[in-house]
Amino acid sequence: MSDKRLLTIQDISCVGQCSLTVALPIISACGVECGILPSSVLSNHTAGFSAWTFFDLTNEMPNILEQWKKEKVDFDAFYTGYVSKAQIPHILRIMEETARPGAMRIVDPVMGDGGKLYPGFDDDFPMEMRKLCNGADVIMPNMTEAALLLGEEYTTEYDQAYIEDMLKRLYTLGAKNVVLTGVSFDENKLGVACYDGTNIQYYFTDRIQCSMHGTGDCYASSFAGALMRGHSIIESASIAADFVVETIRQTMPDPSHWYGVKFEKALPYLISRM
Ligand code: PXL
């Protein structure tokens, strides 16, 4: 069997350890070839910095696609992250026209956290993001993104019945698997809930009492890498959760490192799980 080639589509935040600057090294460390399609270039991410520059690369997307078609470039998997509304039709076309047979679509519907949309996204963005979710093999929203996709209030007060109902409603958006992150029924545990239309499976780790930027991208990237290496959805979800815990453990001793996680130090652990 030939090795897998994945394309990830998200922004380059030049500084701040998120999106492409974590996805490319993490997927490469998993032993998976990683092509990139930068959706935009920012000086730094938008979470915690007071300002940022933003250069939109939407207009370059069709040019890159035309060139790839001439070269017969194709992919076994697509993993999308931070993108804009105007890019969604381009991304759908790229996935249609460069897919190898059976190519997987992994959609991290990056939109917000802590109950709020990230700066720069309009209130109608979640409805556009649904178009990327429809037909995906895996969608992996956090609790905020799940509520936004479903058009409902974000809450931190919920029980298992609420999560299982939410999984079923997310599934109706048209993805084959839902991986819901940031689920907790016990203040000492944090985890993921996976639903494939038939079974619901959970994986929890000990909760570390601090929240750090970029962990969602580390999660999605290691999940995509593990899935491409042949692990199942629940195995990939578990490997990614354990990896993110390790990135946080590596970062905690240095409070000056507020903008992201030191995922580099956790890569040997991730490789050991492949
Ligand atoms: O980690 C998600 C993300 C990606 N890209 C940019 C961001 C964020 C989160 O804030 O600002 C530019």
Side-chain angles (χ1 to χ4, degrees):
M1 195 179 72
S2 71
D3 291 333
K4 298 275 195 268
R5 179 195 285 157
L6 175 148
L7 175 67
T8 185
I9 308 173
Q10 48 189 316
D11 70 287
I12 296 181
S13 284
C14 301
V15 166
Q17 288 180 306
C18 71
S19 40
L20 277 182
T21 65
V22 308
L24 177 56
I26 289 172
I27 292 163
S28 301
C30 291
V32 176
E33 180 181 346
C34 184
I36 62 167
L37 182 57
S39 57
S40 52
V41 180
L42 293 86
S43 53
N44 45 269
H45 64 61
T46 67
F49 292 96
S50 57
W52 50 88
T53 67
F54 181 89
F55 186 78
D56 185 22
L57 289 167
T58 311
N59 291 341
E60 200 55 17
M61 289 182 161
N63 299 337
I64 291 173
L65 174 61
E66 287 322 305
Q67 173 58 20
W68 280 348
K69 282 165 61 181
K70 283 185 201 146
E71 302 288 346
K72 301 199 172 8
V73 171
D74 54 8
F75 301 96
D76 299 289
F78 303 93
Y79 150 41
T80 67
Y82 185 98
V83 300
S84 73
K85 194 161 52 176
Q87 290 167 347
I88 290 174
H90 292 291
I91 294 169
L92 289 169
R93 212 180 125 210
I94 290 165
M95 293 197 295
E96 267 158 35
E97 298 193 13
T98 65
R100 288 180 179 166
M104 295 205 98
R105 297 184 183 190
I106 302 166
V107 174
D108 183 1
V110 175
M111 290 187 286
D113 207 358
K116 294 200 197 84
L117 275 169
Y118 290 133
F121 289 123
D122 299 333
D123 289 341
D124 60 351
F125 185 63
M127 288 306 120
E128 292 298 313
M129 185 52 94
R130 283 177 172 223
K131 294 180 186 161
L132 219 43
C133 294
N134 185 16
D137 291 276
V138 185
I139 56 169
M140 45 180 134
N142 60 30
M143 289 295 294
T144 300
E145 291 154 350
L148 288 164
L149 283 170
L150 295 171
E152 66 181 43
E153 284 295 305
Y154 168 77
T155 178
T156 52
E157 303 288 313
Y158 54 77
D159 57 10
Q160 193 169 338
Y162 173 83
I163 292 297
E164 300 194 350
D165 181 59
M166 190 175 225
L167 286 169
K168 288 173 185 164
R169 286 179 299 122
L170 287 164
Y171 185 78
T172 66
L173 299 181
K176 294 195 186 77
N177 293 275
V178 179
V179 175
L180 180 60
T181 63
V183 173
S184 182
F185 303 127
D186 165 346
E187 59 178 338
N188 298 313
K189 301 273 175 197
L190 186 64
V192 289
C194 303
Y195 182 54
D196 62 2
T198 311
N199 295 310
I200 295 176
Q201 288 175 293
Y202 292 96
Y203 182 75
F204 291 99
T205 61
D206 290 337
R207 184 198 285 270
I208 303 177
Q209 294 297 347
C210 68
S211 99
M212 292 188 185
H213 298 304
T215 49
D217 297 338
C218 289
Y219 186 88
S221 303
S222 52
F223 174 92
L227 196 66
M228 285 302 98
R229 287 296 302 269
H231 294 281
S232 69
I233 300 272
I234 187 68
E235 283 164 0
S236 303
S238 310
I239 291 169
D242 293 340
F243 171 60
V244 168
V245 167
E246 188 58 24
T247 67
I248 296 171
R249 281 211 186 100
Q250 293 290 345
T251 313
M252 277 191 6
D254 181 0
S256 73
H257 199 95
W258 59 269
Y259 49 84
V261 284
K262 299 188 181 187
F263 71 92
E264 303 86 350
K265 294 186 188 299
L267 289 177
Y269 171 74
L270 179 62
I271 293 166
S272 78
R273 295 286 301 272
M274 286 300 114

